Amino acid sequence: MATVETVGGPIDAGDLGTTLVHEHLRLHSSPVDVEFPHLYDEDAVYRRATEAASGLVAQGVKTICDPSCMYHGRDIGFVKRVADETGLQVVPCTGIYTYSQLPPYFQHRDEDHMAEVFAHDVEVGIQGTEIKAAFLKCAVDEPGLTDDVEKVLRAAARASQRTGRPMMVHSHPRTRRGLEIMGVLDEEGVDPGRVQIAHTGDTDDLDYIEELLARGPFIGMDRYGTEIFLPDDRRDVTLLTLLERGHADRMFISADACAEFDWFPPELIEQMAPNWKSTYIFDGVVPRLREAGMTDDQLEQMTVTNVKVWLGS
Ligand SMILES: [Zn+2]
């Protein structure tokens, strides 16, 4: 049985259990949090993260993959404390989340240096700990493959191949970025079966999704509750159609929710996306999809089996 790294150490892939593949325990606008710590109430931040994690455990969710990396204020010690206190298994990553630019450190060094930096987190440990990254994370959003974004994508691809760890790439489906991402990953020789194109569920353009699936990656139907990107009823119809077409073995369900999130004032988040919580998947989405015909086998495929396949090496 393959093993998977969690913040609590390696586990058998068979022990992942029900997993939400894209949930953040804490997402801060780094380096704002480091430079101006007075803006944050650390006790409240910790409380929100532990409450979210405990809520998931109470629902029977055993594991989350937390794709927080550079520019998300990644703090692996914080994540470990939350996991230890709540019993939630958390699968950590390494990578860089940028839509356009890198800091000078990486601008003036090449892809292979960056790939080595990522491989360090996989092979040695994250931020001075022995906690090892289980997957590579990067992003290609609306601005597309700027020089710096392409550098991160290629570096993550090289680190993935060197370490055998899979990739999760944030995408922007309205601009069909998934196809562009797969083009670069093909050039780099990455096995598409180890790639997850996140946020594919932000579109109901089935032609685009089918074209992307034909390239071989997993897709994230992973932003339930963010109706500003696509209303949930349209997410449901898209997901159910893809299930009917036999794609249960390619999809993940998640919310991409952040227990702690500083990008907007809290009252604005509550107003814009009241359902956007990790627990919404099993409180709201799953019962609705079941009622509309999703089977238990399909749910298990998307929340257990696919995770094992994607993460297992
Ligand atoms: Zn995310």
Side-chain angles (χ1 to χ4, degrees), residues 114-164:
M114 193 189 288
E116 266 174 52
V117 172
F118 295 159
H120 169 277
D121 280 8
V122 173
E123 291 164 349
V124 181
I126 300 169
Q127 296 172 334
T129 70
E130 291 181 0
I131 297 168
K132 296 182 177 68
F135 62 101
L136 283 302
K137 175 74 194 295
C138 59
V140 184
D141 199 84
E142 196 166 10
L145 291 172
T146 68
D147 289 350
D148 284 358
V149 166
E150 184 171 343
K151 184 187 278 189
V152 181
L153 181 59
R154 288 189 187 277
R158 289 172 201 183
S160 167
Q161 285 179 294
R162 173 171 147 188
T163 61

Side-chain angles (χ1 to χ4, degrees), residues 22 137 168-173 196-201 218-220 222:
H22 196 137
K137 175 74 194 295
M168 179 195 289
V169 188
H170 163 109
S171 72
H172 186 264
Q196 175 183 162
I197 303 294
H199 314 325
T200 304
F218 288 98
I219 57 172
D222 55 13

Side-chain angles (χ1 to χ4, degrees), residues 22-24 27 67-68 72 97 137 168 170 198-199 222-223 256-258:
H22 196 137
E23 305 299 326
H24 301 268
L27 204 150
S68 305
H72 285 150
Y97 182 91
K137 175 74 194 295
M168 179 195 289
H170 163 109
H199 314 325
D222 55 13
R223 269 181 169 172
D256 188 15
C258 309

